[in-house]
Amino acid sequence: MATIKPSVPKGTRDFSPAEMVKRNFIFDTIKGVFRKYGYQQIETPSMENLSTLTGKYGDEGDKLMFKILNSGDYLSKVDPAKLNVANSNQLVADISEKALRYDLTVPFARYVVQHQNEITFPFKRFQVQPVWRADRPQKGRYREFFQCDADVVGSDSLLNEAEFILIYDEALSALGLKDFSIKINNRKILSGVADVIGKSDNIIDLTVAIDKLDKIGLDGVIKELLERGFTIDDIEKLKPVILLEGSNQTKLASLREALATSAIGLKGCEEIAQVFSYINHFKLQKATIELDITLARGLNYYTGAIFEVKTNEVAMGSIGGGGRYDDLTGMFGLKGLTGAGISFGADRIYDVMEELNLFPADANQSTVVLISCFDKDGELYALPLLQQLRNNDINAELYPAGAKIKKQLDYANNKNIPYTVVIGSDEMESGLLTFKDMASGEQSKLTADEIIAKLAAL
Amino acid sequence: MATIKPSVPKGTRDFSPAEMVKRNFIFDTIKGVFRKYGYQQIETPSMENLSTLTGKYGDEGDKLMFKILNSGDYLSKVDPAKLNVANSNQLVADISEKALRYDLTVPFARYVVQHQNEITFPFKRFQVQPVWRADRPQKGRYREFFQCDADVVGSDSLLNEAEFILIYDEALSALGLKDFSIKINNRKILSGVADVIGKSDNIIDLTVAIDKLDKIGLDGVIKELLERGFTIDDIEKLKPVILLEGSNQTKLASLREALATSAIGLKGCEEIAQVFSYINHFKLQKATIELDITLARGLNYYTGAIFEVKTNEVAMGSIGGGGRYDDLTGMFGLKGLTGAGISFGADRIYDVMEELNLFPADANQSTVVLISCFDKDGELYALPLLQQLRNNDINAELYPAGAKIKKQLDYANNKNIPYTVVIGSDEMESGLLTFKDMASGEQSKLTADEIIAKLAAL
């Protein structure tokens, strides 16, 4: 067999033991918080029927989906004339009927519709699974990456929105983030803004322009609005809204004034006020809540609240986002089921935590103690200790006899094992084993029972 | 948009919250034991380059691999003449360069070779990820299923084999299995058996035949051996080996006698004896160890120990297996690295546990307590209690105000929530909340603090 230089497909990654421990720390923390709030885990297949996915993510999404070639003689039923034309787009439907999951939301909608008779509503589910997109790989963008979503369907209570804020606050604080903002907006406020200047049909143009305030400043936004057909008069009316300042309550008061003539706009204000009112009954840990009407992410499907989370400690895009959508399952024929959901950007959170050095020092420890011995006699002597350690739920390894002690201690160091026990002939004779703290280098002579007691107490 | 009747691709599955809790119980238990023995988790991408996978699983495997269609205009570089021929097999290489992972072993070998300079050997890794095979779906066989593997590479110590037996014993006992057999054989013993009848070249025929002893009995095996070209004389020599009886030590003694003229056969006996000797220093929980020389699974790549695990409580195929292979990474150019590994059959273990009712009664509880209220006032009254419960790490939900209490209690029942707190106007006035044990139906009036104390003590 020819030797192949092994590699992974571009845009995909191996995760080493050290990376896995850190990733598990993030996922386990977030999952624990989801569960604490009553969300239950589901999983869906990695592949879905193309009929389930196609058309749900726009043309771009259809293109970036990884399609799976039909198995067996996949060309046997293809019209030869069609093969001659050699049109990739047209041929796809004939040779592929499945694709890899592109996000977790559409499979979730499919799940809810398919299992609607087994589900108790409101249905609070979370899902942590990889998704695949044939994007051009670049720094921080992968072709296989994990999404980490919680959604509730079948409840229009704004308590759900308030709880999403609590979930973000609790999970990110538990991960060690100390300063982050949860931005909130409401699609109905954006509709109201377009409403009051009589440009309801231009809401997309409007929001695309003001979404850039952070990047291009007020002058830039005005220029863009003019280019997009808004008048000087429109812009004068928009200014107080775009330049909203002060506390969330002050902003809300100004908005209510500016949107006084728009029923939908006032409804949006009321919804946000209700969410704030819920939140006031809770004590937040590290999050700052910020009403930000320039926030327009996912405008095409959100119908109520819109969320985005940003860390203020390092420069990084959003580390989370979500919102309310009123008709998620409609695409599969189940109408009138409202939902709301949030997502954690696990890869970015990982990068933030690395940069801020937030992973626990022992995050990379899998084995607590390595037993080293010089020879077969030492090995046999060590076996009962090895089992007792494990019986006490202490992760323990015995390095197989035969290797030099230096090699064994190198192994402990490389694997970040904090303690070693060395067993030579003196140790076997006296019953006092050499116990070493690898970080401090400190050594002591202890009985097997003392070692177990010491490690069990950690 | 036309309404699509939603479904999953055949051979794939959704996992409901109740199933996920059970699956997590299995995976978390096994992972915990892997870690206790010093194994570290890695993950590899779902897709691998076809050059990595092709030819590693035989023709059948190549056929059953799910190939991923190249993205973009995948036909643009295909020779039109080739399209005209319309040969599915020949075209594949032109329109697909990646496939979904078929098992965890080949990606692991690729990982070891690719990262050999970062790895400290012996490298003890575990991996729990889905794999995909385009098999014909049938009861208990899926196109997407999880494998759960632990392997060590770079150590030829038989302590590793002994520890695999301990891992099986500890993990399956922890899952509640009470009677299971870990069968062990050694490829070298099988070689020795072929050796002593002078038919080393026919070892595959020999093992395929005697592997069927359980199913077709001695007469059937003899018939098959004759058909496969063995002589009456051969069979007479084989009989004592095939019909090995008694304790493991007795079997081993008989084998040593029968294989006295085969160096490799005696080596195999010695290896098994060494593994038994290690195991004798440990106390096993529920496993029975059984030397079984008819065991031949994976003969084409195992070079030393061969394992298979079976439950004796219900009729079910093997729930685990593994062995030692001497040249796993050779296919990627890294020679001389010995390895050994085992696998747990998670889906079958799930079925066994369901049949024996082994999942913990609370396995399906995600939320511990549901707070129910009649109206908005009750909802606001409940918020501080809700937060205090969660601050005490008690999974808690507040049903959004507005629904009938019966509906709320149905929700608790359906979600298997064991406790509810009902808050009406009396409760708010007195501060004594109605606390209900949903299983017994027992109700009591408790303060918020008493409820928290009670639930925290569970």
Side-chain angles (χ1 to χ4, degrees):
Chain A
M1 201 178 302
T3 296
I4 305 141
K5 187 180 174 320
S7 64
V8 296
K10 68 179 173 184
T12 71
R13 295 166 286 174
D14 283 327
F15 296 112
S16 71
E19 288 165 326
M20 279 308 296
V21 172
K22 292 174 182 175
R23 287 173 64 84
N24 284 338
F25 178 69
I26 293 175
F27 289 130
D28 290 346
T29 301
I30 296 172
K31 287 176 184 173
V33 175
F34 284 159
R35 289 196 181 97
K36 200 189 259 194
Y37 285 75
Y39 284 78
Q40 298 179 299
Q41 188 172 15
I42 68 162
E43 284 186 359
T44 61
S46 300
M47 40 179 87
E48 293 274 355
N49 291 319
L50 265 179
S51 55
T52 299
L53 301 182
T54 305
K56 307 303 190 299
Y57 309 101
D59 290 347
E60 188 68 4
D62 287 348
K63 227 159 61 188
L64 297 184
M65 239 173 253
F66 279 110
K67 281 109 193 157
I68 293 164
L69 197 58
N70 292 340
S71 2
D73 189 2
Y74 58 91
L75 289 176
S76 66
K77 284 173 193 156
V78 180
D79 179 354
K82 217 163 177 182
L83 273 179
N84 278 337
V85 176
N87 180 315
S88 292
N89 276 337
Q90 281 173 17
L91 191 65
V92 141
D94 292 325
I95 62 174
S96 165
E97 58 188 24
K98 292 183 288 289
L100 291 178
R101 185 168 53 215
Y102 188 80
D103 74 356
L104 301 180
T105 307
V106 170
F108 173 55
R110 195 263 311 140
Y111 179 97
V112 169
V113 177
Q114 188 175 334
H115 302 281
Q116 53 186 293
N117 297 325
E118 306 141 38
I119 291 173
T120 308
F121 293 97
F123 182 43
K124 298 163 84 170
R125 89 86 173 77
F126 76 86
Q127 198 170 348
V128 179
Q129 291 193 275
V131 302
W132 296 268
R133 298 181 183 181
D135 259 324
R136 190 193 306 268
Q138 48 182 275
K139 191 179 169 337
R141 182 181 293 172
Y142 303 101
R143 292 184 150 195
E144 174 179 62
F145 58 99
F146 275 68
Q147 288 193 337
C148 191
D149 286 13
D151 290 81
V152 51
V153 289
S155 166
D156 59 8
S157 169
L158 294 163
L159 180 60
N160 297 301
E161 275 84 342
E163 292 208 325
F164 284 138
I165 291 176
L166 298 176
I167 288 173
Y168 274 133
D169 179 51
E170 182 159 350
L172 296 174
S173 300
L175 290 173
L177 271 65
K178 283 167 201 69
D179 182 8
F180 54 91
S181 300
I182 304 172
K183 297 179 179 195
I184 178 166
N185 192 10
N186 193 299
R187 159 68 188 241
K188 298 186 177 84
I189 289 179
L190 293 171
S191 299
V193 172
D195 221 9
V196 293
I197 57 167
K199 299 265 166 92
S200 292
D201 292 346
N202 302 86
I203 180 167
I204 300 290
D205 285 323
L206 178 71
T207 52
V208 166
I210 65 179
D211 187 40
K212 296 182 183 165
L213 185 65
D214 261 5
K215 282 183 209 123
I216 59 178
L218 181 63
D219 289 347
V221 171
I222 291 175
K223 188 162 165 274
E224 175 137 356
L225 284 170
L226 290 170
E227 284 167 13
R228 286 174 183 265
F230 292 87
T231 66
I232 298 285
D233 197 38
D234 292 340
I235 290 167
E236 279 311 306
K237 282 191 212 147
L238 285 173
K239 260 191 194 164
V241 177
I242 300 175
L243 295 175
L244 223 51
E245 284 206 336
S247 72
N248 289 330
Q249 291 307 328
T250 309
K251 286 181 183 171
L252 207 48
S254 312
L255 268 180
R256 279 181 163 136
E257 212 169 296
L259 303 179
T261 59
S262 163
I264 191 160
L266 289 176
K267 181 86 170 73
C269 293
E270 200 189 296
E271 288 186 8
I272 294 227
Q274 176 67 49
V275 173
F276 285 160
S277 150
Y278 276 124
I279 289 296
N280 282 337
H281 288 81
F282 293 96
K283 197 178 148 13
L284 291 178
Q285 296 184 45
K286 305 287 180 189
T288 307
I289 311 298
E290 193 186 316
L291 171 57
D292 179 358
I293 72 119
T294 69
L295 181 65
R297 72 184 271 144
L299 187 70
N300 43 340
Y301 54 98
Y302 290 135
T303 52
I306 304 172
F307 297 110
E308 188 167 270
V309 186
K310 284 201 167 172
T311 165
N312 301 316
E313 299 180 271
V314 298
M316 179 71 66
S318 89
I319 55 173
R324 178 171 289 274
Y325 37 81
D326 271 345
D327 191 27
L328 179 71
T329 54
M331 59 175 121
F332 298 115
L334 185 60
K335 303 281 182 195
L337 201 56
T338 184
I342 55 170
S343 188
F344 283 83
D347 283 310
R348 284 192 179 162
I349 291 171
Y350 186 103
D351 291 345
V352 169
M353 290 181 64
E354 276 287 22
E355 194 165 335
L356 297 174
N357 212 4
L358 295 181
F359 287 107
D362 61 357
N364 192 20
Q365 290 170 11
S366 49
T367 298
V368 174
V369 57
L370 177 78
I371 308 178
S372 273
C373 45
F374 290 86
D375 52 26
K376 282 275 172 194
D377 287 347
E379 194 181 70
L380 292 182
Y381 184 93
L383 296 179
L385 169 60
L386 182 64
Q387 182 160 42
Q388 278 176 280
L389 285 164
R390 290 172 177 161
N391 285 350
N392 282 275
D393 280 329
I394 298 161
N395 296 357
E397 287 182 66
L398 169 59
Y399 200 103
K404 293 213 172 87
I405 292 291
K406 183 180 174 320
K407 189 173 175 198
Q408 301 190 31
L409 298 184
D410 282 351
Y411 175 86
N413 272 324
N414 286 328
K415 212 167 163 175
N416 218 10
I417 299 175
Y419 301 99
T420 55
V421 174
V422 178
I423 300 179
S425 51
D426 287 358
E427 281 83 357
M428 284 188 275
E429 206 164 300
S430 67
L432 289 171
L433 315 181
T434 303
F435 181 76
K436 185 172 177 183
D437 179 326
M438 295 296 282
S440 68
E442 201 184 318
Q443 291 199 16
S444 47
K445 293 275 186 180
L446 299 175
T447 65
D449 285 347
E450 285 168 342
I451 290 171
I452 292 163
K454 200 172 172 115
L455 293 175
L458 288 178
Chain B
M1 198 178 299
T3 295
I4 307 140
K5 187 179 170 332
S7 64
V8 297
K10 67 177 176 187
T12 71
R13 294 166 287 174
D14 284 325
F15 296 112
S16 71
E19 289 165 327
M20 280 306 298
V21 172
K22 292 175 183 174
R23 288 173 64 84
N24 284 338
F25 179 70
I26 293 175
F27 289 130
D28 290 347
T29 300
I30 296 172
K31 287 175 184 175
V33 176
F34 284 160
R35 289 197 181 95
K36 200 187 260 195
Y37 285 75
Y39 284 77
Q40 297 179 301
Q41 189 173 15
I42 67 161
E43 284 186 358
T44 62
S46 300
M47 39 179 87
E48 293 275 353
N49 292 319
L50 265 179
S51 55
T52 299
L53 301 182
T54 304
K56 307 303 190 299
Y57 308 101
D59 290 347
E60 188 67 4
D62 287 347
K63 227 161 58 190
L64 296 184
M65 239 174 254
F66 279 110
K67 282 107 190 162
I68 294 164
L69 196 59
N70 292 340
S71 1
D73 189 3
Y74 59 91
L75 289 176
S76 65
K77 286 174 191 153
V78 180
D79 179 354
K82 218 165 177 180
L83 273 178
N84 277 336
V85 176
N87 181 314
S88 292
N89 276 338
Q90 282 173 19
L91 191 65
V92 140
D94 292 323
I95 62 173
S96 165
E97 58 188 23
K98 292 184 287 291
L100 290 178
R101 184 168 55 215
Y102 188 80
D103 73 356
L104 301 180
T105 307
V106 170
F108 172 55
R110 194 263 311 139
Y111 179 98
V112 169
V113 176
Q114 188 176 333
H115 302 281
Q116 53 186 290
N117 297 325
E118 306 140 37
I119 292 173
T120 308
F121 294 98
F123 182 42
K124 297 163 85 170
R125 90 84 174 79
F126 76 86
Q127 197 170 348
V128 180
Q129 291 193 276
V131 303
W132 296 268
R133 297 181 183 181
D135 258 324
R136 190 192 306 270
Q138 47 180 275
K139 191 178 169 343
R141 181 181 294 172
Y142 303 101
R143 293 184 149 194
E144 173 179 64
F145 59 98
F146 275 69
Q147 288 192 336
C148 190
D149 286 13
D151 291 81
V152 52
V153 288
S155 166
D156 59 8
S157 169
L158 294 163
L159 179 60
N160 297 300
E161 274 84 339
E163 292 208 324
F164 284 137
I165 291 175
L166 298 177
I167 288 173
Y168 273 132
D169 178 52
E170 183 160 349
L172 295 174
S173 299
L175 289 173
L177 272 65
K178 282 166 202 70
D179 182 9
F180 53 92
S181 300
I182 304 172
K183 297 182 177 194
I184 180 167
N185 193 8
N186 193 301
R187 160 68 189 240
K188 299 187 177 82
I189 290 180
L190 293 171
S191 299
V193 173
D195 222 9
V196 293
I197 56 167
K199 298 267 166 89
S200 291
D201 293 345
N202 303 83
I203 179 168
I204 301 288
D205 284 323
L206 177 70
T207 53
V208 166
I210 65 178
D211 187 37
K212 296 183 185 164
L213 185 63
D214 261 3
K215 283 182 210 125
I216 60 178
L218 182 63
D219 289 346
V221 171
I222 291 174
K223 185 161 168 275
E224 175 137 356
L225 284 170
L226 290 170
E227 283 166 14
R228 287 174 181 266
F230 292 87
T231 65
I232 298 284
D233 196 37
D234 292 339
I235 290 167
E236 278 312 306
K237 280 192 214 146
L238 285 172
K239 261 192 192 162
V241 177
I242 299 174
L243 295 176
L244 223 48
E245 283 206 339
S247 71
N248 289 331
Q249 291 307 330
T250 311
K251 287 181 183 172
L252 209 47
S254 313
L255 268 180
R256 278 182 163 135
E257 214 168 293
L259 303 178
T261 58
S262 163
I264 190 159
L266 288 177
K267 181 86 171 69
C269 293
E270 199 187 298
E271 288 185 7
I272 294 228
Q274 177 65 50
V275 173
F276 285 159
S277 150
Y278 276 124
I279 288 297
N280 282 338
H281 288 80
F282 294 95
K283 194 178 150 15
L284 291 178
Q285 296 182 47
K286 304 288 180 189
T288 307
I289 312 298
E290 193 186 317
L291 171 56
D292 179 358
I293 74 116
T294 68
L295 181 64
R297 70 183 273 144
L299 188 70
N300 43 342
Y301 52 99
Y302 290 134
T303 53
I306 304 173
F307 297 111
E308 188 167 87
V309 185
K310 284 203 168 170
T311 167
N312 302 317
E313 298 179 272
V314 298
M316 179 70 68
S318 89
I319 55 173
R324 179 170 290 274
Y325 38 82
D326 272 345
D327 191 27
L328 180 71
T329 55
M331 60 176 118
F332 298 115
L334 184 61
K335 303 280 181 197
L337 201 55
T338 183
I342 55 169
S343 189
F344 283 83
D347 283 309
R348 284 193 180 163
I349 292 172
Y350 186 103
D351 291 344
V352 170
M353 290 180 65
E354 276 288 21
E355 194 164 336
L356 296 174
N357 212 3
L358 295 181
F359 288 107
D362 61 357
N364 193 19
Q365 289 170 13
S366 49
T367 298
V368 173
V369 57
L370 177 77
I371 309 178
S372 273
C373 45
F374 290 86
D375 52 25
K376 282 275 170 193
D377 287 347
E379 193 181 72
L380 292 183
Y381 184 93
L383 296 180
L385 170 59
L386 182 63
Q387 183 160 43
Q388 279 175 280
L389 286 164
R390 289 172 179 161
N391 286 350
N392 283 276
D393 280 327
I394 298 160
N395 297 357
E397 286 182 69
L398 168 58
Y399 199 103
K404 294 214 173 85
I405 292 291
K406 182 181 175 321
K407 189 175 175 194
Q408 301 191 29
L409 297 184
D410 282 351
Y411 176 87
N413 272 326
N414 286 329
K415 211 167 164 177
N416 218 11
I417 300 175
Y419 301 99
T420 55
V421 175
V422 178
I423 300 179
S425 51
D426 287 357
E427 281 83 357
M428 285 188 275
E429 207 165 298
S430 66
L432 290 171
L433 314 180
T434 303
F435 180 77
K436 185 173 178 183
D437 180 324
M438 295 295 282
S440 67
E442 201 183 318
Q443 292 197 15
S444 47
K445 294 277 186 180
L446 299 175
T447 65
D449 285 348
E450 286 168 342
I451 290 171
I452 292 164
K454 202 173 170 110
L455 294 175
L458 289 178

